[in-house]
């Protein structure tokens, strides 16, 4: 492949952040993400600014966008063409204070890792080089104010903000705080022709389902949003569409298929004074589900911000990890007779949190569990330890699959990401359990039970297991859709779940999405293979 695809030779060589071919040998890690799928690319570029992005787009070839590659649906895995990695655009570029709302906003480049944003907000350390006077003034006010935070928490904190916006990522605390979407105030998006869209919540609106947008070059873009209704659950499947919606929402969750996000303004919220968590163990799934139902029905002040679930197989995995001297320091032995566990996180004023946590043992007794089978995290350090414990499940599953793939390279983890409406929680858990038993498949179940969003990770050993697992997955997806749910609540569709998206939206819905894509990317060059 000619180096001319990223500009002329001297130009590319002179720009140390633009790398030429042979990514397969020099930079193989960039050809894959956490889905463990490996792709191929002709060039790999690391953009430092918007001009670099335009430079790569100007080649007129397919481009795959990448953040930190923590995605698990292959969205950042290239299908040939140019690979554009955004992780070197990782600065916080401004601050804003809105006195009418008494709210702070922070502006970031797309490659900023979530962990770095959190650290800066906590320590108040920012590289303010090049910031405007208004930004510096807002930062000075922030330093004198009670601290704020950005709530979305997709477990893997090395994820970039661009990747999170692109997938509308969420996580445990989404039960209370919602997904990434409501925290995105504005976006700058570079379209495939190099022009820029600046989209601000409350300013750029659809008219019914019709929309018109104007780029920085004065080009007017007209189109029509899909007619489908969004499911009444946490959702990351397909383009967002609603009457009179904010058009920034079309780009959030569009998985890099409409444009390159080059700048994001995020709304911050006050950091709660007190954060505690409880890990509660139960003799059965039924008892754990009863407790979920009970706490979901409580008044907001008594409700946890996160309710996470671990089934008995996930607990067995954690026991094995601990026995093998694994990665959860300071975690005691798990109670031997526990067949399910819940992680409940509480935010609020100290009294409110201590009261809510203090009520947990009695609530456990009420569903037939021992009130003593609960661990409490009452400090930031303990909370982090519990989070490591929670994170250890998907990480261990991924390592296990890597091991199995050495013998059977064709298999992958089959991880579901589906959510159903509240009344269907018990029924869907029963479907999952019965389906696994009937098919004789090994699996762990864990995740965001507060949102009726359980990850079932089928762990195939053989190709036959893999095929049986795929059939079961499709059967479950149809059940979830019949219940009014979604095929992807947070990970997005990427390259793995395209068929499931079609099940969800039908041929007509997919065609309407294609029509939207064509308006912004007529030749289908951006993130080929994602969504469609
Ligand atoms: C152990 C583990 C646990 C996880 N748990 C959760 C969870 O609880 N909730 C959750 O939501 N996710 C979870 N994830 C998935 C992942 O962390 C999120 O999807 C995250 O948002 C991806 O961010 P990233 O920077 O790694 O993006 P990447 O994986 O690099 O890319 C993701 C998608 O975004 C696109 N993209 C990236 N940058 C841009 C840009 N600037 N403009 C346009 N498109 C772009 C890519 O093309 C790709 O389609 C988990 C992952 C792991 C490994």
């Amino acid at each position: 492949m000619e180096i001319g695809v990223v500009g002329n030779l001297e130009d590319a060589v002179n720009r140390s952040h633009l790398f030429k071919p042979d990514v397969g040998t020099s930079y193989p890690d960039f050809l894959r993400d956490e889905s463990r799928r490996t792709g191929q690319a002709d060039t790999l570029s690391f953009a430092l600014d918007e001009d670099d992005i335009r430079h790569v787009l100007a080649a007129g070839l397919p481009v795959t966008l990448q953040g930190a590659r923590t995605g698990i649906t292959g969205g950042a895995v290239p299908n040939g063409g140019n690979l554009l990695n955004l992780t070197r655009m990782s600065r916080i570029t401004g601050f804003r204070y809105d006195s009418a709302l008494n709210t702070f906003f922070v502006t970031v480049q797309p490659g900023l890792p979530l962990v770095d944003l959190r650290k800066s907000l906590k320590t108040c350390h920012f590289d303010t080089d090049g910031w405007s006077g208004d930004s510096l003034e807002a930062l000075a006010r922030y330093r004198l104010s009670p601290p704020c935070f950005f709530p979305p928490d997709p477990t893997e904190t090395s994820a970039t903000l661009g990747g999170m916006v692109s997938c509308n990522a969420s996580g445990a605390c989404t039960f209370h705080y919602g997904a990434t979407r409501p925290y995105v105030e504005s976006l700058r998006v570079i379209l495939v022709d190099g022009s820029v869209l600046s989209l601000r919540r409350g300013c750029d609106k659809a008219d019914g389902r019709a929309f018109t947008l104007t780029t920085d070059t004065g080009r007017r873009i007209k189109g029509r949003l899909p007619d489908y209704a969004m499911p009444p659950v946490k959702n990351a499947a397909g383009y967002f569409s609603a009457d009179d919606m904010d058009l920034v929402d079309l780009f959030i969750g569009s998985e890099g298929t409409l444009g390159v996000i080059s700048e994001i303004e995020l709304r911050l919220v006050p950091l709660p004074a007190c954060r505690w968590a409880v890990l509660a163990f139960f003799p059965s799934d039924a008892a754990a589900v009863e407790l979920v139902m009970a706490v979901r029905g409580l008044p907001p002040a008594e409700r946890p911000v996160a309710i996470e679930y671990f089934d008995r197989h996930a607990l067995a995995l954690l026991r094995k990890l601990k026995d093998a001297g694994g990665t959860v320091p300071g975690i005691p032995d798990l109670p031997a007779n526990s067949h399910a566990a819940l992680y409940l996180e509480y935010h609020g004023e100290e009294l409110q949190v201590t009261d809510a946590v203090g009520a947990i043992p009695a609530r456990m007794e009420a569903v037939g569990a021992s009130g003593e089978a609960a661990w409490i995290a009452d400090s930031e350090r303990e909370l982090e330890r519990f989070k490591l414990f929670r994170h250890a499940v998907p990480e261990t599953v991924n390592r296990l699959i890597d091991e199995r793939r050495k013998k059977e390279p064709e298999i992958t983890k089959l991880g579901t990401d589906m959510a159903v409406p509240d009344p269907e929680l018990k029924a869907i858990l029963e479907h999952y359990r019965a389906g696994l038993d009937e098919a004789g498949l090994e699996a762990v179940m864990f995740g965001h039970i507060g949102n009726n969003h359980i990850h079932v990770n089928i762990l195939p050993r053989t190709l036959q297991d893999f095929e049986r697992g795929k059939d079961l997955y499709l059967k479950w997806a149809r059940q979830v859709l019949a219940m009014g749910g979604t095929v992807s609540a947070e990970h997005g569709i990427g390259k793995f779940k395209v068929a499931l998206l079609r099940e969800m939206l039908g041929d007509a819905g997919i065609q309407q999405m294609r029509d939207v894509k064509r308006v912004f990317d007529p030749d289908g060059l951006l993130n080929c293979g994602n969504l469609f």
Side-chain angles (χ1 to χ4, degrees):
M1 157 130 214
E2 290 299 317
I3 199 161
V5 295
V6 287
N8 65 54
L9 183 58
E10 287 91 298
D11 191 18
V13 169
N14 288 338
R15 295 163 78 100
S16 58
H17 50 284
L18 290 171
F19 293 88
K20 166 51 193 132
D22 227 1
V23 284
T25 51
S26 306
Y27 297 99
D29 286 350
F30 293 94
L31 296 176
R32 56 186 236 152
D33 67 5
E34 281 292 325
S35 70
R36 274 36 182 180
R37 174 187 278 206
T38 301
Q40 34 154 326
D42 301 316
T43 70
L44 166 59
S45 307
F46 294 86
L48 294 183
D49 55 30
E50 290 190 348
D51 281 345
D52 286 346
I53 296 174
R54 279 195 201 90
H55 194 68
V56 173
L57 293 174
L61 290 173
V63 176
T64 300
L65 311 173
Q66 277 190 345
R69 296 175 293 106
T70 70
I72 35 200
T73 59
V77 177
N79 256 347
N82 297 329
L83 186 50
L84 178 55
N85 184 291
L86 281 310
T87 52
R88 296 194 192 176
M89 287 178 70
S90 58
R91 290 198 63 220
I92 297 175
T93 53
F95 233 81
R96 184 165 71 84
Y97 174 68
D98 184 320
S99 54
L101 301 172
N102 187 22
T103 299
F104 287 100
F105 297 86
V106 62
T107 304
V108 306
Q109 291 185 321
L112 180 73
L114 175 62
V115 63
D116 290 359
L117 174 65
R118 284 188 179 166
K119 205 152 114 202
S120 289
L121 291 173
K122 191 171 170 186
T123 59
C124 283
H125 283 133
F126 296 88
D127 167 10
T128 56
D129 195 25
W131 282 27
S132 68
D134 286 350
S135 280
L136 292 170
E137 210 175 289
L139 177 60
R141 180 186 279 267
Y142 178 73
R143 287 188 164 131
L144 296 174
S145 307
C148 289
F149 82 125
F150 170 68
D153 178 17
T155 316
E156 182 55 68
T157 57
S158 61
T160 64
L161 271 309
M164 287 179 62
V165 172
S166 170
C167 298
N168 189 30
S170 48
C173 295
T174 297
F175 175 62
H176 173 74
Y177 291 101
T180 300
R181 181 182 305 285
Y183 299 94
V184 178
E185 192 64 11
S186 76
L187 289 180
R188 262 175 84 80
V189 180
I190 305 197
L191 301 181
V192 77
D193 66 354
S195 60
V196 177
L197 279 178
S198 298
L199 299 150
R200 180 161 288 282
R201 194 168 289 288
C203 296
D204 304 289
K205 304 278 246 181
D207 178 5
R209 299 271 169 145
F211 67 84
T212 306
L213 284 166
T214 307
T215 67
D216 64 334
T217 54
R219 184 164 70 92
R220 276 160 73 83
I221 300 176
K222 287 184 173 215
R224 192 174 163 75
L225 300 166
D227 289 334
Y228 49 70
M230 304 310 290
V233 294
K234 177 180 171 186
N235 183 37
Y239 294 151
F240 186 87
S241 186
D243 289 349
D244 306 324
M245 70 182 223
D246 278 304
L247 290 168
V248 71
D249 282 327
L250 176 60
F251 292 82
I252 302 167
S254 65
E255 301 192 35
T257 57
L258 301 178
V260 187
I261 296 165
S262 63
E263 188 181 271
I264 308 160
E265 188 183 56
L266 299 167
R267 178 170 61 88
L268 304 176
V269 300
L271 189 71
C274 180
R275 296 194 299 162
W276 282 22
V278 180
L279 251 174
F281 297 92
F282 298 85
S284 66
D285 264 353
V289 171
E290 281 306 314
L291 192 110
V292 172
M293 305 289 209
V295 294
R296 279 204 308 213
L298 293 171
E302 294 171 44
R303 238 183 269 156
V305 297
I307 316 177
E308 298 283 296
Y309 163 76
F310 307 83
D311 80 340
R312 63 180 189 278
H313 300 295
L315 294 179
L317 207 68
L318 291 169
R319 279 191 192 99
K320 260 197 214 153
L321 183 70
K322 188 162 177 9
D323 292 347
T327 56
V328 198
I331 288 285
D333 287 338
L334 304 186
N337 57 350
S338 54
H339 290 282
L342 294 177
Y343 168 91
L344 304 138
E345 189 170 321
Y346 290 87
H347 293 181
E349 293 304 322
E350 192 169 342
L351 190 61
Q352 170 197 342
V353 168
T354 49
D355 280 357
V357 170
I360 288 288
R363 296 194 196 288
M364 290 175 70
E365 303 276 348
V367 299
S370 159
E372 287 174 10
W375 304 342
I376 294 175
D378 58 2
S379 67
E380 285 296 314
R381 206 163 139 255
E382 288 297 308
L383 206 69
E384 281 314 308
R385 198 173 282 176
F386 278 20
K387 286 189 173 171
L388 277 181
F389 173 86
R390 185 161 58 86
H391 199 172
V393 178
E395 278 193 332
T396 310
V397 163
N398 288 347
R399 277 200 299 271
L400 194 85
I401 289 292
D402 280 346
E403 274 308 305
R404 292 187 181 174
R405 276 165 60 96
K406 285 182 188 156
K407 274 200 197 138
E408 194 66 86
E410 299 292 301
I411 61 168
T412 59
K413 170 180 87 178
L414 291 164
T416 74
D417 177 34
M418 303 188 279
V420 293
D422 279 0
E424 306 291 355
L425 174 59
K426 270 189 192 166
I428 197 64
L429 270 171
E430 278 161 23
H431 278 304
Y432 289 155
R433 191 58 70 207
L436 289 168
D437 288 348
E438 200 178 310
L441 288 167
E442 188 186 346
V444 297
M445 298 209 279
F446 61 94
H448 320 301
I449 198 167
N451 290 111
N452 315 301
H453 173 205
I454 309 278
H455 296 302
V456 187
N457 282 187
I458 301 175
L459 309 173
R461 288 175 189 279
T462 61
L463 262 184
Q464 288 96 313
D465 278 2
F466 186 56
E467 292 306 323
R468 276 209 309 279
K470 283 202 291 196
D471 292 345
L472 187 57
Y473 194 159
L474 182 60
K475 196 171 137 200
W476 284 338
R478 288 179 176 152
Q479 270 155 350
V480 162
L481 293 175
M483 290 170 169
T486 175
V487 295
S488 174
E490 66 180 7
H491 295 156
I493 297 299
K495 297 184 175 66
F496 285 1
K497 300 183 182 174
V498 173
L500 294 184
L501 186 66
R502 190 172 283 274
E503 287 281 335
M504 179 167 162
L505 301 179
D507 290 348
I510 298 292
Q511 187 52 49
Q512 289 167 3
M513 279 182 46
R514 274 191 191 285
D515 293 343
V516 172
K517 162 107 173 145
R518 204 165 290 127
V519 167
F520 294 100
D521 178 17
D523 299 320
L525 297 178
L526 277 179
N527 273 4
C528 303
N530 283 9
L531 298 181
F532 303 104

